[in-house]
Amino acid sequence: MATLPSITLSPSSSSSLQPYYIYSSLPTFSPKHTLDHHPCRFRSPRQRLSSKAVPRGLRLRSAATKPARTPAEEDWKIKREYLLQKKVRSVDVKEALRLQKENNFVILDVRPEAEFKEAHPPGAINVQIYRLIKEWTAWDIARRAAFAFFGIFSGTEENPEFMKTVESKLDKEAKIIVACSSGGTMKPTQNLPEGQQSRSLIAAYLLVLNGYTHVFHLEGGLYTWFKEDLPTVSEE
């Protein structure tokens, strides 16, 4: 008699902390050929459970199927090449302040709303690119479990309203400097030959992908802005 498969939830090693499932079957014996005087067959625990081993009418389906990949989830190499192709420039914090004052650039702060309210450059606009996981589908529960495995109990997900919100606040010709906490970089180094991805670079990628033509990126992020003691306001 065939035994049911075991299901193991294993956290992914990717930055998005998205879980995946490993299906393995316990040792099973098939009496199918005993009528022809053949010995029972033994299935290795490493062998995948095939549809032939499942009783008729029973089919296994993952309760938490991952949705299709979004543009923000593209490989960093692809995003970086596109940013360079579209000539997205990185500027340091002092240059960003000058552009904001003299050239009507807008700082688009893509950090979570709570961080923005705590401190941000004057005149900055906040549209968070990631938000706390809100839904309770099987996939969302699995992601929460993966975050919890690493001791993170406030997991985030891509904000599906990001571009829609940006477009409601900034037109396609706006001059934008995208900022987040760390900033990331497109500059290659010995340890990071393709630079370092960040929320602001992902946001910049989405902007140029959707037709924005004057997009800059804040090198060093708002961490450096605050460290340099540049103008800051809060909304407490």
Side-chain angles (χ1 to χ4, degrees), residues 179-213:
C180 66
S181 295
S182 62
T185 183
M186 291 185 286
K187 296 177 182 177
T189 64
Q190 184 175 358
N191 294 330
L192 299 167
E194 294 180 351
Q196 178 66 55
Q197 183 172 224
S198 67
R199 290 175 293 180
S200 55
L201 284 169
I202 295 174
Y205 172 74
L206 294 177
L207 290 176
V208 294
L209 197 64
N210 283 276
Y212 283 83
T213 55

Side-chain angles (χ1 to χ4, degrees), residues 144 147-155:
R144 281 185 171 89
F147 275 109
F149 180 84
F150 290 96
I152 302 171
F153 298 98
S154 56

Side-chain angles (χ1 to χ4, degrees), residues 133-144:
I133 297 174
K134 291 186 175 182
E135 303 299 329
W136 288 93
T137 65
W139 173 246
D140 295 315
I141 292 170
R143 287 192 298 162
R144 281 185 171 89

Side-chain angles (χ1 to χ4, degrees), residues 4-234:
L4 292 177
S6 62
I7 301 177
T8 303
L9 175 62
S10 175
S12 166
S13 60
S14 68
S15 61
S16 59
L17 300 178
Q18 295 166 339
Y20 60 91
Y21 289 89
I22 300 175
Y23 290 85
S24 62
S25 60
L26 297 176
T28 60
F29 294 89
S30 173
K32 177 179 178 182
H33 296 289
T34 55
L35 295 177
D36 297 324
H37 307 290
H38 290 292
C40 296
R41 294 177 298 172
F42 177 78
R43 294 183 184 272
S44 166
R46 293 180 178 273
Q47 183 177 353
R48 287 181 177 273
L49 183 65
S50 68
S51 60
K52 293 181 180 179
V54 181
R56 182 175 298 178
L58 177 61
R59 289 292 180 268
L60 292 177
R61 294 183 181 179
S62 170
T65 303
K66 185 183 184 302
R69 176 180 287 189
T70 66
E73 294 173 323
E74 285 288 356
D75 292 336
W76 165 234
K77 183 177 180 180
I78 294 174
K79 291 198 283 280
R80 179 176 179 270
E81 288 175 355
Y82 192 75
L83 288 167
L84 293 173
Q85 177 188 332
K86 291 296 182 177
K87 297 181 172 29
V88 173
R89 267 185 58 199
S90 293
V91 295
D92 62 32
V93 292
K94 291 183 179 179
E95 176 69 2
L97 179 60
R98 187 189 70 78
L99 290 172
Q100 185 189 33
K101 287 183 175 180
E102 300 177 8
N103 296 84
N104 297 319
F105 271 74
V106 176
I107 294 177
L108 176 61
D109 187 339
V110 298
R111 296 178 300 157
E113 185 179 359
E115 293 181 30
F116 176 80
K117 288 182 176 180
E118 185 177 341
H120 60 265
I125 293 174
N126 178 233
V127 183
Q128 56 186 6
I129 189 169
Y130 290 100
R131 68 179 187 185
L132 294 177
I133 297 174
K134 291 186 175 182
E135 303 299 329
W136 288 93
T137 65
W139 173 246
D140 295 315
I141 292 170
R143 287 192 298 162
R144 281 185 171 89
F147 275 109
F149 180 84
F150 290 96
I152 302 171
F153 298 98
S154 56
T156 59
E157 62 183 356
E158 182 183 344
N159 177 9
E161 302 294 320
F162 176 72
M163 280 310 308
K164 181 179 178 180
T165 307
V166 170
E167 289 170 351
S168 71
K169 297 183 177 185
L170 298 167
D171 62 51
K172 296 294 176 74
E173 298 301 317
K175 300 173 183 178
I176 303 170
I177 301 172
V178 190
C180 66
S181 295
S182 62
T185 183
M186 291 185 286
K187 296 177 182 177
T189 64
Q190 184 175 358
N191 294 330
L192 299 167
E194 294 180 351
Q196 178 66 55
Q197 183 172 224
S198 67
R199 290 175 293 180
S200 55
L201 284 169
I202 295 174
Y205 172 74
L206 294 177
L207 290 176
V208 294
L209 197 64
N210 283 276
Y212 283 83
T213 55
H214 303 290
V215 179
F216 285 30
H217 157 254
L218 186 64
E219 188 89 28
L222 291 169
Y223 169 81
T224 305
W225 182 286
F226 301 141
K227 185 178 178 181
E228 294 285 335
D229 200 28
L230 296 182
T232 303
V233 296
S234 64

